[in-house]
Amino acid sequence: MGLSASGGWAAGAHLPALSAVDGMELTALATSSEASAVAAGAAFGVPGYASVKQLAEDETVDLVVVAVKVPRHRELILPVLEAGVPVLSEWPFAVDLAEAEEMHQAARGTRTFIGLQGRSSPTTRWLADLVAGGYVGKVLSATVLASSAEWGTPVSERMRYTLDRALGTTMLTVAFGHAIDLVSMIVGELQDVVASTAVRRPLVPLGQTGRTVPMTAEDQIAVSGTLPGGAVLSAHHRGGTLSGPGFSLLVDGTEGTLEVTAATGYPHLGPVTVRGSRGRARLSELTLPDDYDDYPHLAGTPIHTLAHAYAAVRNDLTHGTATAPDFTHAVKRHRLLDAIGRSAAEGRRVSLPDF
């Protein structure tokens, strides 16, 4: 769902990433109308359906990928789950925690996957192994500074919906959500949070029209919390920035330091630089070991991590493993975002239950 003849994220990223993985291929698609289904089917050389129910009933379909705007996820995912067909949902999963929990409960044993592809990144997996293996010793703190050019700078009409907090595709859920997910894989899950958020630009320019449109999505997110073992994590994500670092993660430990940087606020998509030091040595660049990367020819492209994510999904479906993040993980991430929102609104520390 979401593969259109006119382009978009599904056509520009999902399809080439899927095509790069042996054992996976596009066999059918579905769109929102008969006309667009016919056009997309002709463009990609597969049957095109006008409903997700028809798509799920196609015997050649082993996995349904939902890559449309978040408010439509529920209406498309529930019929697929009812048909018992495995489903991969793009992130953000749902417009809010309640909707995420509803879809999670509806799975009832059907294999599910969530598009938090940063967890499949060769670099993220390597960093998680470095920390778990004691490279920095006992983790003392993790500090994140990230920025997004969006959520404050001029917005196109097509992306205007990302300014509305109620529609579920905001800086908190998208940019911060992806970033904090891979950070959590490296240093562990937050046990509690104290958060401050703000909408510093309640009006945003609409392209070059000379008009402004309202924004209710937070463009400043500051979070502090406790990691397993007592280490402290602090993160500040800024929206509508004009310059400055896109993403940085500093992990300090009793035996060393790791510094992770990316040019954009989307470290799950673009190239990442890793520097490290042991003891009091100066930071120096570290090189990713070859055995983490199954698609080195895609390195530096937005589909590099996504190809690894599809390979993890393929392996889970083929071998019955549980490597790729699923709807259970999606609910865990939504619970963190919900806790951040409640902490900011209520001015208090919010604990996160084990899940």
Side-chain angles (χ1 to χ4, degrees), residues 13-345:
H14 277 275
L15 185 56
L18 184 152
S19 300
V21 178
D22 289 341
M24 301 195 82
E25 63 177 332
L26 179 69
T27 59
L29 58 85
T31 65
S32 58
S33 71
E34 191 71 43
S36 60
V38 170
F44 297 108
V46 296
Y49 299 110
S51 77
V52 69
K53 184 175 184 297
Q54 291 175 309
L55 181 67
E57 290 173 348
D58 188 317
E59 294 184 356
T60 69
V61 173
D62 300 312
L63 173 73
V64 171
V65 178
V66 177
V68 300
K69 292 180 180 179
V70 176
R72 295 200 63 208
H73 281 190
R74 179 184 179 278
E75 69 179 271
L76 298 175
I77 289 172
L78 291 180
V80 179
L81 294 175
E82 186 175 353
V85 178
V87 58
L88 164 61
S89 170
E90 257 289 17
W91 177 264
F93 181 39
V95 295
D96 57 28
L97 175 59
E99 191 174 271
E101 290 177 331
E102 178 190 6
M103 289 189 285
H104 174 247
Q105 290 296 322
R108 293 190 299 272
T110 299
R111 293 305 303 262
T112 60
F113 306 96
I114 189 68
L116 286 164
Q117 63 263 37
R119 303 185 77 82
S120 300
S121 158
T123 302
T124 304
R125 290 185 282 111
W126 170 49
L127 286 166
D129 287 346
L130 281 177
V131 172
Y135 182 90
V136 301
K138 181 180 179 180
V139 175
L140 301 173
S141 67
T143 307
V144 180
L145 181 65
S147 65
S148 299
E150 306 90 344
W151 292 285
T153 49
V155 65
S156 67
E157 183 63 46
R158 185 175 68 86
M159 298 301 292
R160 181 175 172 178
Y161 75 101
T162 63
L163 306 182
D164 188 342
R165 182 190 303 172
L167 297 182
T169 309
T170 65
M171 191 178 83
L172 176 65
T173 62
V174 179
F176 181 87
H178 273 291
I180 201 65
D181 187 63
L182 65 83
V183 169
S184 298
M185 183 173 177
I186 296 167
V187 298
E189 293 286 339
L190 281 162
Q191 309 296 292
D192 52 47
V193 292
V194 177
S196 296
T197 64
V199 182
R200 297 293 292 148
R201 293 182 173 92
L203 294 175
V204 173
L206 180 61
Q208 304 301 317
T209 65
R211 296 167 48 208
T212 59
V213 291
M215 180 168 74
T216 58
E218 300 90 343
D219 58 2
Q220 296 291 324
I221 302 163
V223 177
S224 178
T226 309
L227 295 170
V232 173
L233 180 145
S234 61
H236 185 190
H237 201 115
R238 304 117 62 221
T241 53
L242 303 179
S243 63
F247 172 85
S248 68
L249 164 65
L250 191 67
V251 182
D252 282 318
T254 55
E255 306 296 331
T257 301
L258 282 169
E259 180 189 71
V260 185
T261 57
T264 74
Y266 301 93
H268 64 293
L269 294 179
V272 173
T273 299
V274 177
R275 299 199 304 162
S277 68
R278 304 296 306 281
R280 297 190 178 276
R282 301 182 67 175
L283 287 168
S284 60
E285 189 165 344
L286 305 181
T287 302
L288 175 73
D290 292 338
D291 55 348
Y292 282 90
D293 195 346
D294 293 329
Y295 303 95
H297 62 290
L298 297 177
T301 72
I303 67 171
H304 183 224
T305 298
L306 196 52
H308 284 87
Y310 269 112
V313 170
R314 175 202 60 193
N315 293 342
D316 284 352
L317 289 174
T318 303
H319 305 299
T321 51
T323 302
D326 59 7
F327 284 9
T328 299
H329 184 77
V331 170
K332 178 190 292 186
R333 195 54 60 236
H334 270 287
R335 285 184 175 175
L336 172 60
L337 301 183
D338 181 74
I340 290 170
R342 286 188 287 121
S343 174

